[in-house]
Amino acid sequence: MNELTRQPATLQEVADAAGVHRSTASRALNPEKSHLIGQDVVERVQAAALRMGYQRDVLAAGLRTRRSRLIGVVVPDMANLVFAPILSAIETVLAENGYSALIANAGGGVEQQIRIVDQLIAHRVEGVVLATAQRDDPVLTRCLEAGVPAVLVNRAETGTRASTVISDDIGGMRLAVEHLASLGHRRIGHIAGPQHLSTGVLRRQGFEQAMARAELPAGAIAVASAYTRDAGRVAAAELLDRHPDLTAVATANDLLALGLYLEMRARGLACPKDISVVGHNDMPLIDMVDPPLTTVHIHHGDMGRQAAELLLKRIVSQEAAPVTRIIEPELVLRGSTAPP
Amino acid sequence: MNELTRQPATLQEVADAAGVHRSTASRALNPEKSHLIGQDVVERVQAAALRMGYQRDVLAAGLRTRRSRLIGVVVPDMANLVFAPILSAIETVLAENGYSALIANAGGGVEQQIRIVDQLIAHRVEGVVLATAQRDDPVLTRCLEAGVPAVLVNRAETGTRASTVISDDIGGMRLAVEHLASLGHRRIGHIAGPQHLSTGVLRRQGFEQAMARAELPAGAIAVASAYTRDAGRVAAAELLDRHPDLTAVATANDLLALGLYLEMRARGLACPKDISVVGHNDMPLIDMVDPPLTTVHIHHGDMGRQAAELLLKRIVSQEAAPVTRIIEPELVLRGSTAPP
């Protein structure tokens, strides 16, 4: 029989082969329903389906039940190492619940993001996880207008229109500043992230609040244009030009810290001897850089998992009110910080 | 009008608003067909569709044309940094061609992989990219049996049942060994990858062939059980116990090289002073480790792009014969290698 032309077995044929009613066979092959019938029957039907090449057609079933079993996931950049563990955790939770993840890169600004979300909606996704939120997010507006449940992860918007899972960005910066102050640093600077993103704004606020609490001046701040090593280096040069007397810098992101490393090396400054550095994220491999980076560890996997769970809950009970989950980060001490 | 209950505009209403025939409006809103009509008409229809909240329903259109516009992508582990740039490139090419990527983690062995592929088939994916291939791959068999076009990326199987895009694993190891030999090393070891994966086998063969060509003994080999830092450290300990006189080690993967770094540090051995180390992959951030790793750079983005393009070509012309594309890697010199 030719592989391309053979007719797949029908559900009725599978039911007949297993000696059960068609509706029983249907339940046995549906991960959401199979718990309703005996394990031995489930196994018999599954064995028959496998032997006969039967395939459940989720798409046609979706048209009948109006459920696609698809969830859209929009990230700024899949190649960014910070998002890999978030994505991985989201996909794992979705798969456990019988959903598949339609994952899209959306680095190119709001217009591209809206085009992508429209594409996801056209595929009838039952919900969307957005890791791209800006502070007043037009993509979220589009989802809400289309009646598609959405959850934000990693980045929040200003309002509370959707459930959100973020790290405690203010608390994380407090950990960084308190650590540096406890080592004896007084002249502490901050390389901030982009100010159209919640992480950039909140970590900057966290820096300013923690410095005020320690009765230290919080004026030495340079803002990076993006969360990249290159943008971090540009901001580092600006910061060190304006404040050559700094003995420590708390950065809003590990890549910004690596940009600072590069700029310090170019100026003949040693870390931590001349300047102590603290990062934010604890991204993969950052423990192997030279010197190993002291940083604020964010539980990215945990964030992805909770975002997926909140979304699935929202899909089941449409009226659930938005909630915000704030995950507490931890300071990880490595080799980039020392007394001044 | 309530957002959740309002009726979306129909195609006919959009056509009327734009003053065109229904079939023209349909073409204008279809990325595959819009080039057939004038740009001004396309823009007028799109503006009307946007204003009226019209959504193309790709899923229902897929049932009519039997095309889902979905491609499945199966990776061993999304959180593995090597796969992030491959995934990102695949998604970009698919999006450019009007396809969306259903991406699934499948680290847990063949059974889980088959379950995932069945799930993708149930979603009527038009094709699958597999980054999970074993040397005689049962998941590929499943795809071919179901008549779903498949392309392998990064890892190949023994046969040539499907188009494949891989790096030149043998050539890459030759670059590594020739570099070490040219520095004057004679006692060179190899930490091999898992031998059920093509990368593990081919890179080991590349090591043995290059050593033979340089008339050096190729007996100092330890096999790692997985491509992880921990498995690399275990294999490194075994290698250094058996061959304490090695002055250089070429590893099958950057994470294995980092495992070797850890084991060397524990034994008080300096890199490159006591032992030179070469990695394989040039994964993100590996230039920032201590010492910066000399490694074989693989063009992961290029591989992902070519895999997606081959798959789309295969979907359009079903009879296309499988091809194998081998991407040439380059040696990147950093601080982990020096004369013995």
Side-chain angles (χ1 to χ4, degrees):
Chain A
M1 192 159 39
N2 185 307
E3 281 167 7
L4 293 173
T5 57
R6 80 168 175 196
Q7 289 292 319
T10 64
L11 182 61
Q12 185 63 57
E13 287 163 353
V14 172
D16 291 346
V20 300
H21 192 271
R22 189 177 177 287
S23 63
T24 305
S26 171
R27 283 199 196 100
L29 296 171
N30 183 342
E32 284 183 309
K33 301 272 180 68
S34 59
H35 66 278
L36 298 172
I37 48 185
Q39 186 58 28
D40 55 329
V41 176
V42 171
E43 281 169 13
R44 203 161 76 235
V45 174
Q46 285 179 342
L50 197 63
R51 202 169 59 234
M52 302 169 71
Y54 173 78
Q55 298 285 355
R56 269 181 81 216
D57 190 333
V58 176
L59 194 133
L63 275 188
R64 282 196 303 274
T65 64
R66 311 211 40 84
R67 303 197 55 180
S68 65
R69 314 297 296 175
L70 295 173
I71 299 292
V73 184
V74 186
V75 294
D77 178 9
M78 274 181 221
N80 180 329
L81 309 187
V82 168
F83 295 103
I86 297 179
L87 271 183
S88 186
I90 290 172
E91 196 277 341
T92 300
V93 170
L94 295 182
E96 284 167 4
N97 288 277
Y99 282 84
S100 297
L102 270 173
I103 304 180
N105 264 324
V110 165
E111 256 181 65
Q112 192 203 344
Q113 289 173 18
I114 287 186
R115 201 162 53 242
I116 283 166
V117 162
D118 283 348
Q119 185 74 13
L120 294 174
I121 293 172
H123 276 296
R124 290 194 186 169
V125 291
E126 294 185 40
V128 180
V129 181
L130 302 174
T132 46
Q134 306 215 354
R135 288 200 292 142
D136 190 3
D137 197 64
V139 181
L140 177 61
T141 302
R142 186 67 147 234
C143 292
L144 296 178
E145 280 174 3
V148 174
V151 166
L152 310 182
V153 68
N154 196 46
R155 297 176 182 170
E157 59 156 21
T158 316
T160 51
R161 298 183 293 167
S163 288
T164 302
V165 182
I166 51 173
S167 180
D168 183 353
D169 292 304
I170 290 181
M173 285 307 298
R174 191 191 315 134
L175 294 176
V177 170
E178 284 175 356
H179 166 59
L180 292 170
S182 75
L183 288 171
H185 292 280
R186 291 290 166 265
R187 294 185 302 279
I188 304 172
H190 176 52
I191 298 182
Q195 298 295 297
H196 63 287
L197 301 177
S198 66
T199 50
V201 172
L202 292 175
R203 290 173 194 171
R204 179 187 181 148
Q205 286 178 8
F207 172 78
E208 291 167 342
Q209 291 176 14
M211 290 294 278
R213 187 170 329 187
E215 300 185 346
L216 297 173
I221 297 178
V223 178
S225 62
Y227 280 127
T228 63
R229 230 194 277 189
D230 287 347
R233 182 165 178 182
V234 171
E238 183 195 326
L239 186 70
L240 297 179
D241 282 346
R242 282 196 285 119
H243 304 275
D245 58 343
L246 293 176
T247 62
V249 178
T251 63
N253 166 291
D254 293 338
L255 289 172
L256 300 181
L258 293 181
L260 173 58
Y261 273 18
L262 291 174
E263 184 60 25
M264 284 173 63
R265 218 164 284 168
R267 294 177 182 225
L269 296 170
C271 174
K273 198 174 138 283
D274 298 313
I275 299 179
S276 285
V277 178
V278 182
H280 208 115
N281 274 349
D282 197 20
M283 68 193 297
L285 290 197
I286 206 74
D287 58 320
M288 299 289 289
V289 302
D290 176 25
L293 186 66
T294 294
T295 189
V296 177
H297 176 82
I298 293 184
H299 299 275
H300 288 111
D302 203 23
M303 281 169 53
R305 197 166 48 70
Q306 294 207 30
E309 288 170 354
L310 281 176
L311 182 61
L312 294 179
K313 210 173 284 181
R314 177 79 180 66
I315 289 169
V316 174
S317 63
Q318 290 282 339
E319 72 289 349
V323 299
T324 297
R325 294 260 181 88
I326 296 177
I327 314 288
E328 287 308 319
E330 303 161 45
L331 189 71
V332 180
L333 297 179
R334 298 203 182 99
S336 65
T337 47
Chain B
M1 192 158 37
N2 185 305
E3 281 166 9
L4 292 173
T5 56
R6 80 169 173 193
Q7 288 292 317
T10 65
L11 182 61
Q12 186 63 57
E13 286 164 353
V14 171
D16 291 346
V20 299
H21 193 270
R22 188 176 177 287
S23 63
T24 306
S26 171
R27 284 199 194 99
L29 296 172
N30 183 344
E32 283 183 309
K33 302 272 179 67
S34 58
H35 66 278
L36 299 172
I37 48 183
Q39 186 59 29
D40 55 328
V41 176
V42 171
E43 280 170 14
R44 204 162 73 233
V45 174
Q46 285 179 343
L50 196 64
R51 202 169 58 234
M52 301 168 72
Y54 174 77
Q55 298 285 355
R56 266 183 82 217
D57 189 333
V58 176
L59 194 134
L63 274 188
R64 282 196 303 274
T65 64
R66 317 217 27 88
R67 303 196 57 179
S68 65
R69 314 296 298 175
L70 294 174
I71 299 290
V73 184
V74 187
V75 293
D77 178 8
M78 273 182 222
N80 180 330
L81 310 187
V82 168
F83 295 104
I86 297 179
L87 271 184
S88 185
I90 291 173
E91 196 277 342
T92 300
V93 170
L94 295 182
E96 283 167 6
N97 287 277
Y99 281 83
S100 297
L102 270 172
I103 303 179
N105 264 324
V110 166
E111 255 181 68
Q112 192 203 343
Q113 289 173 19
I114 287 186
R115 201 162 53 241
I116 283 165
V117 162
D118 283 349
Q119 184 75 14
L120 294 174
I121 292 171
H123 276 297
R124 291 194 185 166
V125 290
E126 293 185 39
V128 179
V129 181
L130 302 175
T132 46
Q134 307 216 353
R135 287 201 293 142
D136 191 4
D137 197 63
V139 181
L140 177 60
T141 303
R142 186 67 147 236
C143 292
L144 297 177
E145 281 174 2
V148 175
V151 166
L152 309 182
V153 68
N154 195 47
R155 297 175 182 171
E157 61 155 19
T158 315
T160 52
R161 299 183 293 167
S163 288
T164 302
V165 182
I166 50 173
S167 181
D168 182 354
D169 292 306
I170 289 181
M173 284 309 296
R174 192 191 314 135
L175 294 175
V177 169
E178 284 175 356
H179 166 59
L180 292 170
S182 74
L183 288 171
H185 292 280
R186 292 290 165 265
R187 296 186 300 279
I188 305 172
H190 176 52
I191 297 180
Q195 298 295 298
H196 64 285
L197 302 178
S198 66
T199 50
V201 171
L202 292 174
R203 290 174 193 170
R204 179 187 181 148
Q205 285 177 9
F207 172 77
E208 290 167 342
Q209 291 176 16
M211 290 294 278
R213 187 170 328 186
E215 301 186 344
L216 297 173
I221 297 176
V223 178
S225 62
Y227 281 128
T228 64
R229 226 193 281 189
D230 288 346
R233 182 165 179 181
V234 170
E238 184 195 324
L239 186 70
L240 297 179
D241 281 347
R242 282 198 285 121
H243 304 275
D245 59 343
L246 293 176
T247 63
V249 178
T251 62
N253 165 291
D254 293 337
L255 290 172
L256 299 181
L258 293 182
L260 173 58
Y261 273 18
L262 291 173
E263 184 60 24
M264 285 174 61
R265 217 163 285 169
R267 292 174 184 228
L269 295 170
C271 174
K273 199 174 139 283
D274 299 311
I275 299 179
S276 285
V277 178
V278 182
H280 208 114
N281 275 347
D282 197 19
M283 68 194 297
L285 290 198
I286 205 75
D287 60 319
M288 299 290 288
V289 302
D290 176 25
L293 187 66
T294 294
T295 189
V296 177
H297 176 83
I298 294 184
H299 299 275
H300 287 112
D302 204 22
M303 283 170 50
R305 197 166 46 70
Q306 294 207 30
E309 288 169 355
L310 281 175
L311 182 62
L312 294 178
K313 212 173 281 180
R314 176 80 181 68
I315 289 170
V316 173
S317 64
Q318 290 281 338
E319 73 288 354
V323 298
T324 297
R325 294 261 181 87
I326 296 177
I327 313 288
E328 287 307 320
E330 304 161 45
L331 189 70
V332 180
L333 297 180
R334 297 201 183 101
S336 65
T337 48

